[in-house]
Amino acid sequence: MAIIVTFDLPGAGPELYDAVIDRVTEGRGFTTFADVHNPGLLSHAAGPVPGGFRVTEIWTDQEALEAHAKTFAPILTALGHPDLQPTIIPAHNVVLS
């Protein structure tokens, strides 16, 4: 079952997001899903919110997200954001273009 994942990064801005993307993609940038080498990622959006930054993604299932977290979590820890706990909800409907 597809899931919707929201990462809220209090006190963060686009600089942290860009640093994470740079490390996840080994400097290639993130313009296509192939850049992150994580099967199961269906949708990704990021932007500022009051007091921080938010990333919202849709994954095919929990297992795909957990596989991605093995790469993502250590990077966030190294950048000073350990213990990030995303909000995860089951997707009732997903429409992609």
Side-chain angles (χ1 to χ4, degrees), residues 50-88:
F53 207 76
R54 178 174 291 157
V55 176
T56 301
E57 298 176 328
I58 301 174
W59 288 84
T60 54
D61 53 48
Q62 183 77 30
E63 292 77 20
L65 172 63
E66 289 171 4
H68 173 66
K70 291 177 183 175
T71 300
F72 183 77
I75 291 170
L76 275 174
T77 298
L79 293 171
H81 286 269
D83 303 322
L84 179 66
Q85 297 298 315
T87 300
I88 302 171

Side-chain angles (χ1 to χ4, degrees), residues 6-89:
T6 302
F7 297 91
D8 283 312
L9 299 150
E15 300 81 13
L16 174 65
Y17 174 83
D18 292 342
V20 171
I21 293 299
D22 188 56
R23 291 187 186 192
V24 168
T25 66
E26 298 173 348
R28 292 182 308 274
F30 185 21
T31 58
T32 71
F33 290 125
D35 295 330
V36 294
H37 299 294
N38 287 308
L41 179 60
L42 300 175
S43 176
H44 173 94
V49 294
F53 207 76
R54 178 174 291 157
V55 176
T56 301
E57 298 176 328
I58 301 174
W59 288 84
T60 54
D61 53 48
Q62 183 77 30
E63 292 77 20
L65 172 63
E66 289 171 4
H68 173 66
K70 291 177 183 175
T71 300
F72 183 77
I75 291 170
L76 275 174
T77 298
L79 293 171
H81 286 269
D83 303 322
L84 179 66
Q85 297 298 315
T87 300
I88 302 171
I89 62 170

